[in-house]
DNA sequence: AGGAGGATCTACT
DNA sequence: GTAGATCCTCCTA
C-alpha cells in the first residue's frame, strides 16, 4: 500500500514507528532504487513537558525549516557538514512541526545503481547512514519540499510485517539539553544495515 | 559582514 | 581512533 497524504498527518513519533519496515521507492531516469527503512528518528514533538531542543524547528520558523511547518507528506532535505544531505519526512498538519529523519535503509532494489552513485561495492555501506542513503537514492537539495505522494519519491507499506522494533536515544545531538535523552530513535531490531 | 557550528562520512594510522 | 573535508544557516554586531 502506497502512503497517502493522510498517513503523514499524525505526530512524528507515531509516524516514525509506522515507518520502520516500510519501503522508500525512488524513481529516476537512470532506474528505480528502493530500500526498507530500518532506522529513523522523530523530531520536533514535545516529550514529558519539554520541547525538543534537538530539533531544527526548536528556534522557530526560518527559511530552512519553513517546509516542516507546512502540511505532512513533504520532504525536508538539508545539507550537513557541507558535504552530505539528510532526508526527513514532514509530519502533521500545517502549523505543526514534527518530522522524521531517515537514518538507514536495507537496500532492496536497484543495487547496481546505488553502487554506481556511491562509488562503492560493499552492500553494507550503501545505505547504512543518513548521508549514505541519500547518495545511494540520488536525493539532493533539489528534493527540498518534494511531495511524497507523487511518483518520484514515495513510501510503501507491504504485507510483510510486523517488524520487531527497538527504541533508543537519538544520535549525535549531544548539544540538546533535554532532547538528547528522548527515546525517539527506532530500529528494525537486529537488521545489519543500522548505522553505527 | 563575520564567524561558529553542524541530525556525517571517509581515509588514514 | 582521530582528523579532515566543506558550506549552508543562523546569530551577532
Amino acid at each position: 500500500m502506497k502512503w497517502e497524504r493522510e498517513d503523514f498527518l499524525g505526530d512524528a513519533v507515531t509516524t516514525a514507528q509506522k515507518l520502520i519496515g516500510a519501503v522508500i521507492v525512488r524513481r529516476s531516469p537512470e532506474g528505480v532504487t528502493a530500500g526498507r527503512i530500518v532506522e529513523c528518528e522523530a523530531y520536533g514533538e514535545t516529550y514529558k513537558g519539554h520541547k525538543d531542543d534537538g530539533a531544527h524547528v526548536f528556534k522557530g520558523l526560518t527559511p530552512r525549516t519553513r517546509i516542516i511547518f507546512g502540511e505532512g507528506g513533504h520532504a525536508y532535505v538539508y545539507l550537513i557538514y557541507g558535504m552530505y544531505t539528510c532526508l526527513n519526512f514532514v509530519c502533521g498538519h500545517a502549523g505543526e512541526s514534527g518530522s522524521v529523519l531517515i537514518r538507514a535503509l536495507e537496500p532492496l532494489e536497484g543495487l547496481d545503481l546505488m553502487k554506481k552513485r556511491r562509488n562503492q561495492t560493499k552492500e553494507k555501506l550503501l545505505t547504512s547512514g543518513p548521508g549514505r542513503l541519500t547518495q545511494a537514492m540520488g536525493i539532493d537539495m533539489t528534493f527540498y519540499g518534494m511531495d511524497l505522494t507523487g511518483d518520484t519519491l514515495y513510501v510503501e507499506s507491504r504485507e510483510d510485517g510486523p517488524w520487531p522494533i527497538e527504541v533508543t536515544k537519538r544520535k549525535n545531538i549531544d548539544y540538546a539539553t533535554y532532547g538528547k535523552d528522548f527515546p525517539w530513535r527506532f530500529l528494525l531490531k537486529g537488521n545489519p544495515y543500522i548505522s553505527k
Side-chain angles (χ1 to χ4, degrees):
Chain A
M1 289 286 289
K2 184 171 169 176
W3 280 43
E4 304 290 342
R5 177 78 50 209
E6 187 181 327
D7 296 311
F8 292 98
L9 299 185
D11 65 273
V13 177
T14 305
T15 308
Q17 296 174 81
K18 276 170 49 186
L19 281 168
I20 293 294
V23 175
I24 298 181
V25 182
R26 153 78 168 121
R27 296 188 179 279
S28 81
E30 309 164 87
V32 178
T33 46
R36 185 181 311 287
I37 301 172
V38 298
E39 176 180 358
C40 65
E41 292 177 352
Y43 282 89
E45 304 286 346
T46 302
Y47 181 71
K48 293 187 174 174
H50 289 296
K51 282 192 184 172
D52 182 8
D53 57 352
H56 290 170
V57 292
F58 180 67
K59 288 170 183 166
L61 198 159
T62 66
R64 181 172 68 148
T65 59
R66 152 188 80 77
I67 195 72
I68 310 176
F69 289 88
E71 189 176 45
H74 296 266
Y76 168 50
V77 181
Y78 65 90
L79 183 73
I80 187 71
Y81 301 119
M83 322 178 68
Y84 300 99
T85 53
C86 291
L87 172 66
N88 302 249
F89 294 163
V90 176
C91 300
H93 297 83
E96 298 172 338
S97 55
S99 65
V100 176
L101 169 67
I102 309 302
R103 287 194 56 90
L105 303 175
E106 173 184 341
L108 295 182
E109 225 177 298
L111 286 266
D112 288 341
L113 180 52
M114 290 185 185
K115 288 171 182 171
K116 184 176 147 200
R117 284 174 175 149
R118 291 269 299 128
N119 191 26
Q120 167 72 69
T121 54
K122 296 193 185 79
E123 297 189 0
K124 274 278 189 60
L125 298 178
L126 287 179
T127 55
S128 55
R132 289 170 178 165
L133 73 91
T134 51
Q135 192 177 26
M137 302 285 275
I139 294 167
D140 58 25
M141 286 303 292
T142 65
F143 281 64
Y144 181 93
M146 176 169 288
D147 190 338
L148 298 171
T149 64
D151 293 326
T152 305
L153 182 64
Y154 57 91
V155 181
E156 277 181 7
S157 284
R158 301 180 176 173
E159 300 298 322
D160 47 9
W163 303 91
I165 296 181
E166 186 178 351
V167 183
T168 73
K169 295 175 182 178
R170 294 173 296 178
K171 305 225 355 178
N172 299 334
I173 51 164
D174 293 341
Y175 58 84
T177 304
Y178 302 107
K180 67 173 163 40
D181 294 324
F182 294 180
W184 284 355
R185 177 168 175 248
F186 303 98
L187 312 166
L188 202 166
K189 196 166 186 173
N191 189 281
Y193 293 93
I194 289 165
S195 73
K196 265 204 318 181

